[in-house]
Amino acid sequence: MNTPNASQLPVVAAMALLAATTMATAATAAPSLHYKCSSSTKSIDDAAYSGPWPDNWDMTLQVCAARSGATVYTYADVRWDGPAFYATSDATIFDGAKIRVQIMQSRQGTDPVVAEQDFPLKARLEKATPRGDRDGSHRTPVISHRAGGGAYGNAVVFLDWHKDGHGYQAHDFKASPSL
């Protein structure tokens, strides 16, 4: 990489200032997004446990979507209240856990997925307080994609309980309103 000589420094400085001004203008010109959200709650049974203690995980999922021109943006907020009977250091409740955030296109018949991304949840769900409480929340990053009218956000929680032999089981929640 060549370093500029003394005669090129004013040009380099002017170009850097122009680039910074252009980026700042673009950032302030970006529209503020108005997200529309839907929320739903489920009580999910630990499929790997059949003992005497309560073992359901109460999960609330809020899916939000917004539109700017032809681009749709969506994210999900998940909150959970897990049972406290597990050992506080138990990292084997799940073989896997993730949340899949999707942008769907509303059509007659089955709505196709136009974009999706998975985000890990296993370590977050298994984290406990010293008293064994497994309560928490997580907001996924925003995903975006160009989509026509009637697009909406969707999210699915996938849980694979430790050694239950069933693999990932999908848990559907309410999608965002259409945009």
Side-chain angles (χ1 to χ4, degrees):
M1 179 173 175
N2 294 338
T3 55
N5 62 36
S7 66
Q8 294 172 322
L9 287 177
V11 173
V12 171
M15 290 174 57
L17 180 60
L18 178 61
T21 304
T22 302
M23 287 190 298
T25 302
T28 57
S32 164
L33 296 176
H34 176 70
Y35 283 91
K36 295 181 179 181
C37 304
S38 291
S39 183
S40 56
T41 301
K42 288 189 172 203
S43 185
I44 302 170
D45 182 60
D46 180 341
Y49 178 77
S50 60
W53 302 103
D55 66 339
N56 283 15
W57 289 68
D58 296 326
M59 290 192 158
T60 300
L61 192 74
Q62 182 180 46
V63 182
C64 299
R67 175 182 290 281
S68 178
T71 303
V72 173
Y73 302 85
T74 192
Y75 68 89
D77 272 326
V78 60
R79 293 179 184 5
W80 60 89
D81 179 3
F85 75 87
Y86 303 105
T88 58
S89 61
D90 190 350
T92 60
I93 299 167
F94 300 97
D95 287 336
K98 61 187 175 182
I99 183 169
R100 178 171 293 160
V101 177
Q102 303 171 317
I103 297 174
M104 312 284 289
Q105 183 65 59
S106 183
R107 300 266 160 95
Q108 187 173 13
T110 303
D111 295 346
V113 175
V114 295
E116 68 181 19
Q117 188 168 349
D118 290 350
F119 300 98
L121 281 178
K122 180 183 184 306
R124 294 175 191 277
L125 292 171
E126 290 179 337
K127 185 177 179 180
T129 66
R131 292 188 335 217
D133 290 333
R134 284 190 170 72
D135 303 336
S137 64
H138 175 65
R139 175 177 280 188
T140 68
V142 173
I143 66 168
S144 63
H145 194 76
R146 293 177 60 90
Y152 59 94
N154 190 45
V156 181
V157 173
F158 290 91
L159 302 176
D160 181 2
W161 299 97
H162 184 62
K163 294 186 178 181
D164 75 336
H166 297 293
Y168 278 108
Q169 300 297 307
H171 302 277
D172 294 313
F173 289 81
K174 187 174 181 181
S176 77
S178 293
L179 304 171

